[in-house]
Amino acid sequence: MKKIFVLLMTFGITATGLAQQLPVYLDESRPVDERIDDALKRMTLDEKIAVIHAQSKFSSPGVKRLGFPDLWTDDGPHGVRPDVLWDEWVQAGQTNDSCVAFPALTCLAATWNPEMARLYGENLGEEALYRKKSVILGPGVNIYRTPLGGRNFEYMGEDPLLSSRMVVPYVQGLQSKGVAACVKHYALNNDEEYRHQVNVIVSDRALHEIYLPAFKAAVLEGKAWSIMGAYNLYKNQHNCHNTILLNKILKQDWGFDGVVISDWGGCHDTDEAVKNGLDLEFGTWTDGLTMGRTNAYDSYYLAVAYKKAIQEGKYTTKELDEKVRRVLRLFYRTTMQREKPFGFLCSESHYDAALKIAQEGIVLLKNDPVKKGKSPLLPLDLTKTKRILVVGENAIKMMTVGGGSSSLKVQHEILPLDGICEMAKAANCEVDYARGYIGDTIQSFDGVTVGRKLYDSRSAEELKAEAIEKARQADVVIFIGGLNKSSYQDSEGHDRQQYGLPYGQDDLVEALVSANKNLVYVNISGNGVAMPWLTRVPAVVQGWFIGSEAGKALASVLSGEVNPSGKLPFTWYAQLEQCGAHALKTYPGIWREDHQIIDEEYKEGIYVGYRWTDRQKEKPLFAFGHGLSYTTFKIGKVTVDKQQITADEQITFSVNVTNTGNRTGAETVQLYISDKVASVDRPIKELKAFQKVFLQPGETQQVNLTIGRDALSFYDEGRGDWTAEPGDFEALLGTSSDQLTQKISFMLK
């Protein structure tokens, strides 16, 4: 308010004349577009150029003369990243920039619960507000095309419908706090290897049916205030200034009124940046990770070079004013919005939210009895369990640190071993630990230390022998294994180099289960992995990267305090060749003769994930949508409110879901649609709706799933639009893509 008072005095406005003489751009009673027009008229060329590029690693300037504060961005999407120095990728050394780490977005998607996405966005927004951040760089919604993708853990799985339904409430929750979501990475950023050089060749149909729907939902339904361009190329143009993706699809077809922000170092050319839809440039020189040269920010493509070209008559100010108009709109939505909620940092409610999301997202992949006729191994019966052995480096390794730009400085992270020890203590169980293998002994990343000392001088054979000997003495062995956030695993910058588990873990699993059949394998990752030993291991849990409350969440599921209800957001292949991108050998692409660009053709087209395995009649290790429970459910007979619909009508499918077990639990009813006769090749089935229900033992609840014409449509490349052809369709309902017990036919007239 003090700044506004000074501005009013500058304009010669007294308190008496305030209502009549308030500048339009400061008058909150005026429509935003009028305020933008007024501010734009008052800005100099230098001020306009300044607001469309960075002034530091994470900020861009406001317009101080007019009272617009600087705009501060920060990395997400799983928490608010610690601050770095103005000009360097070095920790600023602050003591008030710790955060709560929320589960990685693969875990959020695995909840199959949009309410969890809203909770996620709201809590992250409060942390960002406290840290005075106006834009959070997330969420990510790129499609899980290959399980080797190094950044898949930051995204929401393989299915466009699931990603769309989860991204909208995340964006709405975050922006309800006055913090802009910057949905990323738009678009086709499905590889990390050679990400600056990959030119994606994809059909228009696959682009619109698979790779764009989540971005479209974020814009049209979530009303996202900003979008981040991607590093890769499409049709030989970098996506941070791609005329088809940005001008045609995003701004013209979808009517996006927000700001397109470059990924850090994703801008390559002034002319393309001016003409092809980029609004705000960050991180140039050279890849966004180094200063580059003195006065680097003036040397950005949308800085002095752009200003000089305008002065020389190469451009008018038409494009510049459009960019500034969008940036000013972002200011009014964030920095200039005075009626914001309060921000909180590391509050109890944020930890509660992180825990709840983690618990709902953990997936019980397998749960068999060790002996025939006995109960499944999980949940652990702690009344009969006296000695628990925990094995694995991931039991003692922080997973909030590393992985690239989503690395965080957390106030605390409960490690799996600590969570299990706390669980066992309450039941008077003894817990022992054996490392079993050494994977990564790096002690810090980006200035943040990784907790327990990870260095170990023992050989692989010594570690393995210790684990086997201790396993023989234990009642239950819990192996916390999987991937980590190191380079070439689940990490930005590189893709994985193999589908199998690293660090000799497969051999260790085989040895442990030979020593003790009561083995629970907990996989920590954002990707599927090969499991050649699966038939021998009775219980398998997918533990994801689940943030600050990781150990507590895992222990609560293993003990049965919480009944698991997560469902896989991607197809878990038995081997890499079950994935279309690898079966067709199109990944990672072919280098051009000049070795500057690598062309990667998405030959599988719309057949990504379960669409591909369905078509090939292959059985994956675990199907898309798969997830077990400690209770049992029965899906009743499906009914439909009408047998045929017209193009402007909706149709509702109803089933009763009953909890037939003796534990409170949650089940997700999934609706897939099959087009029986079509003029184009269509998948056998596609997910079109879902709903998660929470039921007490014996309770029955009716689930109603409603769809319309859009759920029956395909993208018609000839027309350049969506088409729903009249004819017969079939609805398939069940609890995973391979457990669809209910079917019913209907017709589109």
Side-chain angles (χ1 to χ4, degrees), residues 112-383:
W112 286 63
N113 188 350
E115 291 182 7
M116 290 297 98
R118 176 79 190 204
L119 181 70
Y120 198 122
E122 289 176 349
N123 282 266
L124 178 59
E126 289 179 351
E127 297 247 329
L129 272 181
Y130 185 90
R131 293 273 305 282
K132 303 187 185 308
K133 309 301 181 185
S134 294
V135 181
I136 284 292
L137 307 175
V141 290
N142 291 104
I143 291 296
Y144 182 109
R145 178 177 176 252
T146 161
L148 299 188
R151 218 164 177 179
N152 282 341
F153 72 96
E154 289 190 45
Y155 302 142
M156 296 189 186
E158 72 182 34
D159 187 77
L161 185 278
L162 177 62
S163 298
S164 297
R165 293 308 95 216
M166 297 301 288
V167 71
V168 169
Y170 180 117
V171 169
Q172 291 171 336
L174 181 62
Q175 294 185 168
S176 72
K177 304 299 179 179
V179 178
C182 186
V183 186
K184 63 186 187 182
H185 303 89
Y186 182 75
L188 301 165
N189 188 183
N190 310 108
D191 306 346
E192 281 300 289
E193 209 66 44
Y194 313 119
R195 59 183 178 169
H196 295 273
Q197 297 150 292
V198 170
N199 177 57
V200 174
I201 301 170
V202 63
S203 69
D204 285 351
R205 186 175 171 202
L207 177 69
H208 285 273
E209 289 191 19
I210 303 296
Y211 297 100
L212 292 185
F215 290 103
K216 184 178 182 180
V219 170
L220 296 182
E221 299 176 60
K223 307 298 182 185
W225 295 340
S226 61
I227 291 282
M228 182 187 289
Y231 282 134
N232 53 289
L233 299 89
Y234 169 64
K235 292 188 181 294
N236 300 306
Q237 279 188 341
H238 280 95
N239 287 358
C240 285
H241 33 73
N242 187 295
T243 188
I244 295 175
L245 291 177
L246 299 179
N247 286 338
K248 172 66 170 66
I249 297 175
L250 179 65
K251 293 183 174 180
Q252 179 181 318
D253 295 350
W254 299 350
F256 177 64
D257 68 354
V259 173
V260 174
I261 299 176
S262 72
D263 202 344
W264 270 230
C267 185
H268 299 268
D269 181 85
T270 295
D271 191 59
E272 287 195 2
V274 169
K275 296 176 180 177
N276 293 349
L278 180 63
D279 300 312
L280 185 51
E281 179 186 1
F282 269 96
T284 306
W285 304 107
T286 53
D287 59 0
L289 303 181
T290 54
M291 180 174 172
R293 62 163 114 168
T294 305
N295 299 321
Y297 304 107
D298 286 340
S299 301
Y300 275 23
Y301 293 105
L302 289 182
V304 170
Y306 186 18
K307 174 187 170 183
K308 185 178 179 182
I310 290 174
Q311 291 172 329
E312 292 173 349
K314 182 177 181 180
Y315 309 112
T316 68
T317 59
K318 177 185 175 183
E319 294 91 352
L320 175 61
D321 286 349
E322 172 60 19
K323 297 177 194 298
V324 175
R325 189 179 300 279
R326 290 173 178 272
V327 172
L328 289 174
R329 185 175 291 112
L330 183 61
F331 286 168
Y332 283 120
R333 287 167 166 168
T334 58
T335 62
M336 294 292 282
Q337 184 189 143
R338 294 207 299 274
E339 301 299 323
K340 291 179 185 175
F342 290 106
F344 300 95
L345 187 68
C346 300
S347 72
E348 293 88 345
S349 62
H350 295 172
Y351 284 113
D352 289 345
L355 176 62
K356 185 172 177 57
I357 294 163
Q359 289 169 330
E360 275 207 40
I362 292 171
V363 182
L364 180 60
L365 293 174
K366 182 182 178 183
N367 192 26
D368 289 346
V370 175
K371 293 181 180 178
K372 205 175 247 187
K374 298 292 185 179
S375 298
L377 181 54
L378 293 176
L380 298 175
D381 186 348
L382 296 179
T383 64

Side-chain angles (χ1 to χ4, degrees), residues 353-571:
L355 176 62
K356 185 172 177 57
I357 294 163
Q359 289 169 330
E360 275 207 40
I362 292 171
V363 182
L364 180 60
L365 293 174
K366 182 182 178 183
N367 192 26
D368 289 346
V370 175
K371 293 181 180 178
K372 205 175 247 187
K374 298 292 185 179
S375 298
L377 181 54
L378 293 176
L380 298 175
D381 186 348
L382 296 179
T383 64
K384 297 178 181 178
T385 304
K386 298 304 176 188
R387 301 188 67 184
I388 298 174
L389 173 66
V390 178
V391 178
E393 181 176 277
N394 284 355
I396 61 168
K397 182 176 177 59
M398 291 179 70
M399 292 298 177
T400 58
V401 180
S405 60
S406 65
S407 180
L408 300 170
K409 185 170 94 177
V410 294
Q411 187 185 53
H412 77 247
E413 179 179 348
I414 301 174
L415 299 173
L417 178 60
D418 296 334
I420 293 168
C421 285
E422 191 65 28
M423 168 192 80
K425 180 180 177 183
N428 294 316
C429 292
E430 177 186 334
V431 177
D432 198 2
Y433 174 71
R435 183 157 178 172
Y437 69 93
I438 294 179
D440 182 0
T441 59
I442 295 172
Q443 287 299 119
S444 66
F445 177 87
D446 198 20
V448 180
T449 57
V450 296
R452 280 182 172 84
K453 181 181 177 182
L454 296 174
Y455 178 76
D456 199 312
S457 61
R458 290 175 292 172
S459 69
E461 287 306 311
E462 288 175 306
L463 291 166
K464 184 177 176 181
E466 178 197 41
I468 293 169
E469 182 57 34
K470 288 186 175 184
R472 293 193 179 106
Q473 311 304 317
D475 296 319
V476 174
V477 179
I478 304 173
F479 184 5
I480 313 287
L483 308 180
N484 58 36
K485 295 289 194 69
S486 298
S487 223
Y488 295 101
Q489 291 204 47
D490 279 334
S491 180
E492 180 182 0
H494 294 287
D495 289 338
R496 296 166 62 196
Q497 295 178 316
Q498 62 183 30
Y499 189 47
L501 286 170
Y503 315 128
Q505 291 179 76
D506 287 332
D507 290 341
L508 181 57
V509 171
E510 295 276 11
L512 287 172
V513 78
S514 295
N516 190 326
K517 295 187 184 302
N518 296 312
L519 175 64
V520 180
Y521 175 73
V522 178
N523 190 67
I524 306 297
S525 76
N527 268 307
V529 299
M531 293 182 175
W533 35 259
L534 182 63
T535 57
R536 299 189 62 201
V537 175
V540 179
V541 173
Q542 175 59 16
W544 311 112
F545 300 116
I546 49 178
S548 288
E549 299 291 286
K552 189 173 180 180
L554 285 169
S556 68
V557 168
L558 295 173
S559 68
E561 177 189 344
V562 168
N563 193 347
S565 62
K567 300 280 187 177
L568 286 178
F570 54 74
T571 302

